[in-house]
Amino acid sequence: MSKVIVEKSGPVTTVWLNRPDKRNALDSELLRDLKAALTAPAAADDRVIVIRGKGRVFCAGLDMSERRETIGSGEASGIEDMLHAIETNPLPVVAVVQGDAIAGGNELALHCDLVVASDAARFGMSLAQVGLAPNWFLAKKLMEVLGPVTTREMLLLGDPLPAPRLHALGLIARCVPAAELDAAAQKVIDRLAANAPLSLRAMKGLTVRQLQFRDGIAHDDIDALVGAAMKSQDAQEGMKARLEKRTAVFKGR
């Protein structure tokens, strides 16, 4: 069974995360296939890319059972390359979020140009609860979309924030009752598909480029802190505890 399903309907390409039994957790195969779908050359008639998740959860983030095997070495997961493919895709990318978007799933949604969410959805970064921290690239997107206050709350507490709150703060494009999600998403998609394609591509490019100045800020010292957390015993304990559904015991090493 393919972990990523790509459906094309006229100018709209829908990319489905297809691991509902694993809450659409991002393992290496899914990340690879998702990146491939997002970097495929756009046809002349393509207008919009839509990212959705099968089942009740949009995406629970990186597959923790797989990630435990590689994180101690500091090996990259591949999520940054996939998210970069969303950010640099020439077409508008819409996330339709029916349920929780946590950690890497939260980043996946927020890297999209527009988010249409069910009022049952929650967005969160639970990394502090498992002994990890986001790298510069991931944190940059949170600051860009959420601003410093909400980013600090999301990161430092680690508890998910409800979609209605993010919408009330103007941080996601739409938030509607679950029964209205498909209709609301379709309205946004249809509007994008009807707009001038050269205008959309120009606007997508300029909104990405205008924020790239952050890439030039020195952050080697921050990378070292993030790397230390990733390689720590606390990180191993945090992920093990999460998989065992118990409270982690952190020791600061």
Side-chain angles (χ1 to χ4, degrees), residues 15-210:
V15 181
W16 290 91
L17 311 183
N18 188 36
R19 293 187 82 198
D21 57 321
K22 298 293 184 181
R23 303 173 72 236
N24 292 320
L26 302 166
D27 65 3
S28 54
E29 180 184 346
L30 196 158
L31 285 168
R32 183 191 67 235
D33 292 350
L34 188 52
K35 179 186 174 184
L38 293 163
T39 54
D45 65 335
D46 288 341
R47 298 287 185 271
V48 187
I49 295 175
V50 181
I51 298 180
R52 305 193 65 157
K54 295 283 188 180
R56 298 178 60 186
V57 173
F58 176 73
C59 178
L62 291 176
D63 187 317
M64 203 165 292
S65 59
E66 179 185 79
R67 190 63 177 139
R68 276 192 69 204
E69 304 300 319
T70 59
I71 198 166
S73 66
E75 181 181 335
S77 66
I79 190 172
E80 186 171 332
D81 288 342
M82 182 274 291
L83 296 173
H84 185 69
I86 296 175
E87 195 169 67
T88 57
N89 193 289
L91 302 176
V93 183
V94 179
V96 181
V97 181
Q98 82 285 17
D100 284 357
I102 305 299
N106 179 61
E107 292 278 358
L108 172 57
L110 296 183
H111 269 78
C112 295
D113 300 295
L114 296 169
V115 177
V116 181
S118 159
D119 60 5
R122 301 181 303 166
F123 295 77
M125 295 292 285
S126 55
L127 301 183
Q129 298 177 358
V130 294
L132 300 173
N135 65 20
W136 184 266
F137 177 83
L138 300 180
K140 180 183 72 169
K141 179 57 65 174
L142 297 180
M143 290 288 283
E144 173 190 321
V145 176
L146 304 177
V149 173
T150 306
T151 295
R152 288 188 181 105
E153 178 179 356
M154 183 176 279
L155 287 179
L156 296 176
L157 296 181
D159 296 324
L161 303 178
R165 180 175 172 205
L166 295 189
H167 183 253
L169 292 171
L171 307 179
I172 59 176
R174 302 285 187 276
C175 179
V176 299
E180 300 173 17
L181 180 63
D182 287 345
Q186 194 60 51
K187 188 174 181 179
V188 169
I189 293 163
D190 289 345
R191 177 69 269 172
L192 288 168
N195 285 345
L198 297 182
S199 296
L200 292 176
R201 292 182 187 225
M203 291 170 182
K204 173 70 182 278
L206 71 85
T207 54
V208 171
R209 185 70 56 84
Q210 287 185 348

